[in-house]
Amino acid sequence: MFDRWIKYYCMDELAQVFDLEYWDCSSIVTPSYIVPNPLSRPYLRVIHSIKEFETKISELPKDTVLITEVYQCAENYKFHKTQSKYFPNVLHFNFYGNIITQIDLDETCTINSVPKPCKKRFSLKSILYKRDIIRALIKWLFHPKGRNFIQLYLDDKCRKIYAQCTEVSCVKNDSQRINHPDFETYLSIKDEPRLIPHKYAVFIDTFFPYHSESYLGEAIPSNIDEIAQKYYESLNTYFQQVESKLGVPIVIAAHPYANYKENNPFENREVFYYQTARLIKDCEAVCIHGSNAFSYVALYDKPVEMIINSAIKGTYFGNFAEQAATKWNLPIYDTDKSLIVVPSFEKINNGLRIKYIDKYLGDINTQKSNQELLIEYIKDYHNKTLQ
């Protein structure tokens, strides 16, 4: 349990309305998130094993509203199989409708238009593949039977394991829409005083390469410490260039999973925890890889530089950065070349920025907070689905 989940789900407020329990399953699921300063609440329950999980979930009332934040993937198949046995219907709040691979900012694209090359073509294969059993058999016979096949097969089974998954999203035009948590934060702190009195630029940390998602879907390299050293050397050289050009220091918005208190790899630059929004709000410029904190860059309309280097390129966060640069029509800067090329910051095209906020973050005219909306949607789901 840490600050982000408490705020995203307005849990302290929900606990005043519902008999709420937060189950920390980090020791039995993948990725296993470990934070340096876990929080505690009266409604926190820590689950230590799959057996304990099954025992406790079997004891819950059948009309319990179950909201799950555990990836549906091969590694978590046993978890979801156990959960779906007792609760075939689940409610999911999608706070990540703004993930870069999902957003569409193309002005020429409409929901109802289908490009000619994308129209469905019916073939024997497409008809056969409609049946799960036949599709699995065909793949088993004609595709490699190594670990990748098994992983993909269980991924697919895991995604289909529930009879019903009701989703509430922050994306516009969904029948039940919540505000993106970053949008709520933006509204709540936009008039607050500065966190840092002097001018500064901010780097949005991803805790690479030690973040559990750094190599999502791939094996963690054995030389991870060497990768980290290469990565931080490149970053720190780049930071020196930025500080020289802008005439302001760079501060670090630490990822919540990171702990730099004993070992600061940023050449002792100032590190702040759980202050990303406030740091972006008042900064002169933002340096960022792939991060959903890009929403604050758009909301506060800040100059930004998308950055990459050889250590992070090809990883989850490196690919994220390249995709984001393409979506936002921004250049991407290789920090390995910071002694050759001068850093350059620019704002997002204002048309794209406004469209992004409207489609994926929230309606500036919305009168209801997420606290109100979550309570409303949970009650509605309970009344329509579980009674």
Side-chain angles (χ1 to χ4, degrees):
M1 170 173 280
F2 61 106
D3 187 67
R4 179 188 295 174
W5 292 132
I6 291 176
K7 287 182 177 177
Y8 274 23
Y9 282 103
C10 308
M11 280 193 277
D12 288 341
E13 292 78 14
L14 293 187
Q16 302 302 313
V17 179
F18 302 107
D19 179 10
L20 175 74
E21 290 189 2
Y22 176 92
W23 289 15
D24 174 3
C25 298
S26 57
S27 63
I28 63 170
V29 299
T30 300
S32 180
Y33 296 123
I34 305 298
V35 297
N37 300 299
L39 302 177
S40 183
R41 290 291 191 276
Y43 49 78
L44 172 65
R45 308 287 181 268
V46 180
I47 307 299
H48 301 93
S49 68
I50 283 287
K51 183 178 180 180
E52 180 186 1
F53 174 65
E54 180 161 17
T55 299
K56 287 187 177 296
I57 202 167
S58 67
E59 296 170 348
L60 291 175
K62 295 304 178 184
D63 69 336
T64 299
V65 177
L66 196 67
I67 303 168
T68 303
E69 276 283 355
V70 175
Y71 285 169
Q72 287 178 268
C73 59
E75 292 81 358
N76 296 326
Y77 177 71
K78 190 173 182 180
F79 174 92
H80 285 288
K81 184 178 180 181
T82 302
Q83 183 167 268
S84 64
K85 174 182 174 182
Y86 298 97
F87 288 90
N89 301 315
V90 293
L91 177 61
H92 181 243
F93 286 96
N94 180 12
F95 295 113
Y96 309 102
N98 67 325
I99 290 177
I100 201 65
T101 55
Q102 300 175 358
I103 68 172
D104 170 26
L105 300 175
D106 185 354
E107 295 290 348
T108 63
C109 179
T110 60
I111 294 173
N112 296 323
S113 65
V114 180
K116 289 183 180 179
C118 296
K119 288 184 177 178
K120 292 182 179 179
R121 295 179 180 178
F122 294 96
S123 63
L124 177 60
K125 182 178 178 180
S126 67
I127 294 171
L128 288 173
Y129 268 47
K130 286 183 178 180
R131 298 291 299 274
D132 290 347
I133 295 176
I134 295 176
R135 184 172 64 250
L137 179 61
I138 291 172
K139 287 184 177 181
W140 179 257
L141 291 173
F142 297 105
H143 293 261
K145 301 178 180 63
R147 183 175 181 274
N148 287 342
F149 172 82
I150 300 299
Q151 290 287 107
L152 293 172
Y153 174 68
L154 288 178
D155 282 350
D156 191 51
K157 281 194 70 176
C158 199
R159 285 190 288 267
K160 298 176 179 177
I161 205 164
Y162 296 100
Q164 180 181 337
C165 181
T166 302
E167 181 167 293
V168 177
S169 172
C170 60
V171 179
K172 187 176 183 178
N173 296 328
D174 278 15
S175 57
Q176 292 183 316
R177 187 186 189 187
I178 51 175
N179 303 320
H180 190 283
D182 294 350
F183 187 77
E184 291 235 316
T185 300
Y186 159 76
L187 293 174
S188 67
I189 71 168
K190 61 186 179 67
D191 297 321
E192 286 189 359
R194 295 174 64 98
L195 181 66
I196 302 174
H198 58 78
K199 292 183 178 181
Y200 62 91
V202 61
F203 168 65
I204 310 304
D205 173 48
T206 59
F207 194 35
F208 178 85
Y210 300 108
H211 190 302
S212 55
E213 291 181 359
S214 296
Y215 297 92
L216 197 61
E218 299 180 11
I220 297 174
S222 58
N223 63 333
I224 193 167
D225 291 336
E226 294 176 17
I227 293 171
Q229 182 178 355
K230 183 179 179 181
Y231 170 72
Y232 289 117
E233 284 178 356
S234 181
L235 270 190
N236 287 320
T237 302
Y238 164 72
F239 291 161
Q240 290 170 14
Q241 291 289 89
V242 171
E243 289 169 338
S244 176
K245 178 180 179 178
L246 300 183
V248 299
I250 283 184
V251 300
I252 312 300
H255 192 280
Y257 301 157
N259 185 358
Y260 301 124
K261 293 179 180 178
E262 294 183 3
N263 179 26
N264 183 333
F266 303 104
E267 295 183 341
N268 292 319
R269 289 179 172 86
E270 200 169 7
V271 176
F272 293 85
Y273 294 89
Y274 306 114
Q275 298 291 347
T276 300
R278 294 185 69 189
L279 290 171
I280 293 177
K281 176 176 76 76
D282 296 313
C283 74
E284 302 301 303
V286 179
C287 318
I288 192 169
H289 296 307
S291 169
N292 287 327
F294 204 97
S295 55
Y296 294 124
V297 177
L299 286 164
Y300 294 111
D301 195 18
K302 293 294 179 176
V304 62
E305 185 159 71
M306 308 296 302
I307 59 176
I308 201 169
N309 55 44
S310 58
I312 201 171
K313 193 169 186 177
T315 68
Y316 173 76
F317 292 118
N319 293 336
F320 196 148
E322 292 183 324
Q323 291 170 338
T326 300
K327 291 276 185 177
W328 295 109
N329 195 27
L330 291 169
I332 191 161
Y333 184 93
D334 186 342
T335 63
D336 292 339
K337 300 176 181 178
S338 56
L339 292 178
I340 303 170
V341 183
V342 178
S344 176
F345 294 84
E346 60 183 83
K347 290 187 175 183
I348 310 165
N349 172 276
N350 198 53
L352 289 180
R353 188 180 75 86
I354 297 301
K355 184 175 184 180
Y356 169 66
I357 293 170
D358 180 57
K359 287 185 71 172
Y360 299 104
L361 300 184
D363 182 352
I364 201 71
N365 298 312
T366 298
Q367 298 300 310
K368 287 187 177 180
S369 66
N370 270 357
Q371 176 185 336
E372 298 172 278
L373 293 171
L374 263 65
I375 292 171
E376 177 184 324
Y377 295 150
I378 289 171
K379 287 181 176 179
D380 182 68
Y381 171 82
H382 177 269
N383 295 336
K384 289 181 178 178
T385 309
L386 301 180
Q387 285 192 335

